[in-house]
Amino acid sequence: MLSVICESPGVLRHEDRELPVRADGEVLLRVRRVGICGTDMHIYSGNQPYLQYPRVMGHELSATVVEADPGAHVTSGDTVYVMPYLSCGHCIACRQGKTNCCVNIRVLGVHSDGALTEYLSVPAQFVHRAEGVTLDQAAMLEFLAIGAHAVRRADVSAGQRILVVGAGPIGMAAMLFANLRGASVTCLDTRADRLAFCREHFAVSTVQAGSNDVEDLSALTDGEFFDVVFDATGNIKAMNRGFAFIAHGGKYVLISIVPGEITFSDPEFHKREATLLGSRNATAEDFETVLEAMRAGRIPDKALNTHRMSLSDVPTEFPKLLEPGRTVVKALVEC
């Protein structure tokens, strides 16, 4: 079967691999679509903190079932999505239902080989029917679920002022689900094209990051700033700077992850009685939230899917996604 390997930072190549052998309790899948996300970009660029090379990337996927155990909840021919966070089920996080931050987590495409391949065998508990959505939509569930999880973690409510810093796919997902909760959403980003996309497809105000952005954000909120600030930049300077945008009594949610240390002024943080939250991955509840919104037509998924390529073209086409001016939101690989 055809697979695409990230051999080392900046190096992608084809490899012909043996078909995976399905173990008991696993589901053999024919991969159909794979979403390319920021994690894959970081792997390719060499700045993903949890990874060893070589690696088959790809953790946003839809597939059809080839084979499963008799009596399993999925059967041959079913269209499915995969929760790519392979949790252990027994650690302190899993016992609390927080499988998204399992102590022993293995994420497909990061800790183990992922979906940029034709066939994949996955433990059955992580495979779910994609009822009422297309293959394209099912491959977009995961990144949208990350945004939905962050919004749920912050307990966003109607009427709150929300700032999303970073207008990439994860930031857009946070905007979408904050909007669906009735919040007033503002997006801050350096890129005018991304801000224009957000204005067109989401009900948000936008501010371009620059020398006057603090004054602009202050003016939008009568000087009070934001009840919840989400960082989705993956940029340590932006993450440190975001503390200044929290309203008194507000929350700061770090969806981003960077290899480094986050620092902030304790007097400024303390006087606000601010809350700092990490938000990692998503749970089954968040995937269901996204599915419900998709089925109701509340997700502009066709607009989000800005680029496509075939699996065989990934080594040549993937690097182009990082080129300036491409305005990539979500690229889908057709397998």
Side-chain angles (χ1 to χ4, degrees):
M1 65 175 184
L2 176 64
S3 301
V4 175
I5 315 296
C6 187
E7 191 166 59
S8 59
V11 180
L12 295 171
R13 62 174 176 84
H14 295 125
E15 184 171 290
D16 187 21
R17 291 189 164 189
E18 294 294 324
L19 208 69
V21 177
R22 186 185 72 85
D24 288 344
E26 292 186 344
V27 179
L28 180 62
L29 302 173
R30 176 66 170 92
V31 179
R32 297 298 182 185
R33 303 284 188 276
V34 183
I36 301 298
C37 82
T39 297
D40 303 313
M41 304 289 193
H42 292 316
I43 292 169
Y44 178 77
S45 300
N47 57 359
Q48 214 292 333
Y50 298 134
L51 183 120
Q52 293 183 333
Y53 298 90
R55 180 63 69 224
V56 177
M57 301 185 296
H59 61 275
E60 304 177 5
L61 70 145
S62 61
T64 50
V65 174
V66 176
E67 184 181 70
D69 287 344
H73 63 288
V74 293
T75 189
S76 178
D78 283 348
T79 298
V80 296
Y81 66 92
V82 173
M83 286 189 62
Y85 328 119
L86 308 186
S87 50
C88 71
H90 56 75
C91 71
I92 184 170
C94 288
R95 294 197 305 270
Q96 299 175 73
K98 298 178 180 179
T99 54
N100 57 303
C101 57
C102 167
V103 173
N104 306 301
I105 200 166
R106 297 191 63 78
V107 179
L108 290 176
V110 179
H111 304 97
S112 59
D113 282 347
L116 285 179
T117 187
E118 292 182 299
Y119 292 88
L120 193 64
S121 193
V122 179
Q125 66 264 38
F126 304 108
V127 180
H128 304 272
R129 283 197 181 97
E131 295 176 330
V133 297
T134 66
L135 285 167
D136 283 3
Q137 289 175 314
M140 291 192 236
L141 284 170
E142 194 268 347
F143 86 89
L144 292 165
I146 290 174
H149 179 76
V151 168
R152 179 167 66 88
R153 185 129 166 76
D155 195 24
V156 170
S157 59
Q160 285 189 318
R161 292 166 172 161
I162 306 300
L163 176 65
V164 178
V165 186
I170 300 298
M172 291 180 188
M175 293 177 223
L176 273 166
F177 288 96
N179 268 330
L180 290 176
R181 288 188 174 217
S184 174
V185 181
T186 298
C187 175
L188 176 68
D189 197 276
T190 58
R191 289 176 51 176
D193 58 338
R194 283 284 179 91
L195 295 174
F197 184 95
C198 293
R199 287 194 300 271
E200 180 180 357
H201 297 289
F202 318 127
V204 297
S205 302
T206 61
V207 172
Q208 189 162 3
S211 58
N212 296 318
D213 57 6
V214 175
E215 291 81 1
D216 293 340
L217 294 170
S218 178
L220 282 172
T221 59
D222 298 322
E224 294 181 334
F225 291 96
F226 296 89
D227 300 297
V228 184
V229 178
F230 294 95
D231 181 89
T233 64
N235 180 290
I236 196 164
K237 290 182 179 178
M239 295 165 80
N240 287 333
R241 190 169 182 251
F243 286 90
F245 304 137
I246 311 168
H248 282 241
K251 299 174 184 175
Y252 190 23
V253 184
L254 299 179
I255 316 176
S256 293
I257 178 171
V258 290
E261 295 183 355
I262 304 301
T263 61
F264 56 91
S265 165
D266 184 57
E268 290 295 324
F269 187 79
H270 188 84
K271 77 181 183 183
R272 288 166 170 78
E273 198 181 51
T275 300
L276 177 61
L277 295 167
S279 183
R280 188 180 189 194
N281 301 329
T283 66
E285 179 180 347
D286 305 307
F287 278 77
E288 286 298 326
T289 296
V290 178
L291 277 168
E292 182 181 344
M294 275 186 171
R295 292 170 185 143
R298 295 174 180 168
I299 306 293
D301 51 273
K302 290 183 179 178
L304 290 167
N305 174 207
T306 54
H307 294 71
R308 302 179 81 88
M309 68 186 77
S310 68
L311 181 63
S312 60
D313 287 339
V314 168
T316 55
E317 294 300 312
F318 184 99
K320 297 177 184 178
L321 300 177
L322 285 83
E323 293 174 356
R326 296 280 288 184
T327 318
V328 179
V329 177
K330 181 54 59 177
L332 289 181
V333 177
E334 296 186 9
C335 301

